[in-house]
Amino acid sequence: MGTRRFTDEDIQLDSLYDDLADLDLQPLWRLSGTLTDEPVPRTQPYRWRARQLRELGERAGRLVPIDRGGDRRVLSCANPGLGGAPHATSTLWAGLQYLGGHEYAPAHRHTPAALRFVFEGSGVWTLVDGDPIHMSRGDLVLTPSWTFHEHHNTTADPMLWLDVLDVPVVSYLESIFYEDGPSEDVDRRTAVRSTAEQRWALGSGLKPVARDLPGPGADHSPLLVYRWSDTDEALRALAGQVERDVRLRFTDPVRGTDVMPTMRCEMQRVPAGRTTTPHRQTGSRVGAVLNGTGTLVIAGREFDVQPGDVFAVPSWSWLTLASGTAEDLDVFTVSDAPIVEAVRLYREEWQEEQR
Ligand code: 1HN
C-alpha cells in the first residue's frame, strides 16, 4: 500500500499531490490533527470484569495447555480504542494469567519488563533469575527487562494474577528481544523467603553494605517482591493522617526511584464512603481492584467495580474513585509515568473546586 493520495480541483496542485504520493511524501499543509490543543487519546476508558475474567480463565485452563510456543495462558485485555491490538492502553499490556493446580510455565526472558499483581491463590512460585519468589494475594512481583522468569504451582488450586508489561512501548521502539530459558526442565525450587527479600527488605530504611554481596544493579529495584502485608500495614498507618484517600508508591529501596525504568506502581486506599478529588495525568494507566467495591469515573464514564476488576485510564483523562459504604476500596495502578517523566512530558492536575 502506498502513502495517502491527496486530491485537489486545481489540476496543477492535483498533479503535485499525485507526484508526492508516488514518492511516498505527504503535504503537511493538508495534514490536520497532528497538533491538538490537548492529548486526544485513542485508548478508551474501559473496565474488564473480574467475574468474566475468572470464568474465561478457568475455561481456557480446561482447554488450552501451556506449552513451549504458547508459553503462557494469558487473557490479554484489548482496549477497544486500539484497533484490535492486544493492549490495555497505548503503552501498557495487561492480562489475566491463569495457572492451574500443579501446572508450570517454562522459563524465558524478554526485553519488555513485566510485573504481576496477585488476585487469587497462594501456591505459585515465580523464579526470577533463579530466585524463588512465593506469590500470594495482593503481592506485587517484578520480572524486570531481560530477567529469566518461570512460574510453577505447587498446589492443586488454580492461581490468577494480573500481568502488566511495557510491551507496546518496547514494540514501538522496535526493541523486542526474546529468548527461551536454558532448560526445558521446570525448576520447582521454593523458598520461604526470596534472596531478594533477605537482602533488600530489611525495613526501617536499612540497606546492606557488604563487600561480598552484589550491589543493587542500576536497571531496576533489587527488591523483586512487595508483600501485601507490608503494603496494607503502611496504608493503615497513613490512613489516620490524611483527609481522604491514601496513595503509596512502590519504590526501589536503595534509590527511592520507581521499581522499574518504564512502569510506576501505586496502591491507593479510598476509605469507605469517600470520593477522591478528580485527578488527571499525562500517560496512560492500568488499574486493578484488590478489595472493596465502588464506582470509578474515567473521562466522564462511570464504571462500578469489584475485587478483581481491571480498568484502563487514558492519558489526560479525569479519574475519580468512590468507595462503597461498607468497605475501603484498595486499587493497584500501573502507569508509564517513569517514561513520561524521563522525557519531561509529565503533567498532572487536581480538580480542587469539586471539593
Ligand atoms: C509473559 O512473558 C508473561 O512470563 C505474561 O508470565 C504475560 C504478555 C505478553 C508478553 C509476554 C509471563 C505476557 C508475557
Side-chain angles (χ1 to χ4, degrees), residues 35-280:
L35 300 176
T36 53
D37 296 344
E38 289 195 352
V40 181
R42 290 195 306 136
T43 304
Q44 286 179 18
Y46 205 75
R47 179 252 289 110
W48 292 266
R49 287 187 187 278
R51 195 165 23 85
Q52 295 163 346
L53 289 171
R54 198 195 186 295
E55 201 262 319
L56 295 168
E58 217 167 67
R59 262 165 73 191
R62 287 196 297 271
L63 296 169
V64 185
I66 305 175
D67 295 320
R68 268 277 141 87
D71 247 12
R72 299 295 190 260
R73 188 191 294 116
V74 177
L75 305 180
S76 300
C77 296
N79 191 292
L82 300 176
H87 302 160
T89 74
S90 55
T91 55
L92 296 166
W93 181 303
L96 183 88
Q97 183 154 174
Y98 184 95
L99 196 65
H102 301 298
E103 280 190 320
Y104 66 90
H108 67 204
R109 65 176 174 179
H110 34 72
T111 46
L115 60 86
R116 337 264 158 211
F117 183 73
V118 183
F119 281 140
E120 186 181 317
S122 62
V124 169
W125 267 262
T126 285
L127 274 75
V128 182
D129 277 340
D131 189 10
I133 299 172
H134 181 251
M135 294 166 77
S136 64
R137 193 171 176 279
D139 291 348
L140 165 64
V141 178
L142 312 180
T143 54
S145 176
W146 210 237
T147 54
F148 281 111
H149 51 282
E150 58 196 290
H151 321 297
H152 68 97
N153 191 344
T154 60
T155 69
D157 300 321
M159 190 143 170
L160 273 83
W161 64 82
L162 174 75
D163 290 304
V164 185
L165 297 93
D166 55 11
V167 167
V169 174
V170 182
S171 171
Y172 196 75
L173 296 172
E174 299 182 338
S175 302
I176 302 260
F177 291 87
Y178 172 93
E179 200 171 85
D180 279 333
S183 162
E184 294 267 338
D185 298 333
V186 58
D187 186 342
R188 289 193 186 270
R189 276 181 302 142
T190 63
V192 175
R193 208 152 187 258
S194 64
T195 303
E197 287 168 281
Q198 290 175 45
R199 287 186 188 152
W200 304 105
L202 302 174
S204 310
L206 295 169
K207 66 175 179 181
V209 186
R211 283 181 61 186
D212 51 356
L213 277 182
D219 299 336
H220 57 80
S221 167
L223 184 60
L224 298 172
V225 54
Y226 296 75
R227 298 293 176 194
W228 172 244
S229 55
D230 296 330
T231 310
D232 188 35
E233 195 182 318
L235 289 167
R236 266 178 227 275
L238 282 169
Q241 303 176 45
V242 297
E243 201 185 319
R244 288 187 169 204
D245 55 298
V246 194
R247 197 148 59 110
L248 288 176
R249 188 165 299 168
F250 296 92
T251 57
D252 178 322
V254 181
R255 286 169 286 249
T257 51
D258 285 298
V259 291
M260 295 190 284
T262 52
M263 291 186 281
R264 170 167 296 168
C265 300
E266 295 185 340
M267 176 64 73
Q268 188 166 11
R269 174 166 291 173
V270 187
R274 303 268 179 87
T275 302
T276 61
T277 305
H279 171 264
R280 62 180 176 180

